Amino acid sequence: MRPNSVPPFSDLIKECYRSAVHLELRDTYSVASEADDFAEWQTCGRITPESVERRRPWHDLVRDTVARGVVMRRARVVSVPVSEYIRYEHAGTYLNVEAGEAVRWLPRRDAATLALPGADFWLFDDRLIRFGHFSGDGASAGHELCDDPAVLKLCAEAFEAVWQRATPHEAFAV
């Protein structure tokens, strides 16, 4: 499927019935939807009530999805010491966990012997992948869908390998 014809994430997750897993591989993202939150965190050094409110649509989506019986897991491969962006991401991850998403962190050094795809992805029910592409500075460069069985297998195995080695959010210090 062409990248510009990828349905919104909310449509894809509605068609998910068992599991949705997300692998993040970057140390920094510069996506427009997080710009205000990141700038606010840089100034305040904490997640503010306003930031919590701006994140509400995502957390409501996670709660609704988990309530339907979908297991949502996110694994992040990060360089250590972590970047400023990863510190920001870590500071707000408790909200994802409260919403029902399980999150783990893996230092990049511990991922060195794993075969990982070259892009972040969401894998829905082991049947569809939504790759996230980014520019060098972390700006979104679009999404792409894939349902090739060999790629599905590669991504599922990569995610599980990271998940097994990774540390749960509550125990991962930045």
Side-chain angles (χ1 to χ4, degrees), residues 9 13 16-22 61-74 99-103 122-126 159-160 163:
F9 180 86
I13 198 71
C16 188
Y17 299 98
R18 292 184 321 279
S19 68
V21 300
H22 185 35
L61 180 64
V62 171
R63 281 185 194 90
D64 293 347
T65 301
V66 170
R68 292 190 295 110
V70 176
V71 175
M72 292 185 74
R73 297 183 293 159
R74 179 186 305 252
E101 188 176 1
V103 180
W122 277 94
L123 174 59
F124 303 100
D125 289 336
D126 294 322
F159 181 86
E160 291 304 329
W163 190 257

Side-chain angles (χ1 to χ4, degrees), residues 81-156:
V82 299
S83 68
E84 183 178 30
Y85 179 85
I86 293 300
R87 284 194 313 276
Y88 151 75
E89 207 170 47
H90 187 272
T93 295
Y94 77 94
L95 295 163
N96 295 58
V97 173
E98 286 177 358
E101 188 176 1
V103 180
R104 292 187 181 181
W105 303 81
L106 182 65
R108 195 168 308 283
R109 178 178 296 275
D110 295 337
T113 59
L114 300 178
L116 300 176
D120 290 11
F121 66 83
W122 277 94
L123 174 59
F124 303 100
D125 289 336
D126 294 322
R127 66 171 175 73
L128 182 66
I129 298 166
R130 177 183 177 250
F131 286 109
H133 300 292
F134 297 89
S135 64
D137 65 359
S140 178
H143 299 95
E144 179 179 3
L145 295 181
C146 178
D147 62 1
D148 179 297
V151 179
L152 291 167
K153 183 177 187 289
L154 167 82
C155 290

Side-chain angles (χ1 to χ4, degrees), residues 36-46 48 84:
D36 290 341
D37 280 342
F38 186 43
E40 187 176 78
W41 177 85
Q42 288 174 305
T43 300
C44 299
R46 63 184 174 80
T48 65
E84 183 178 30

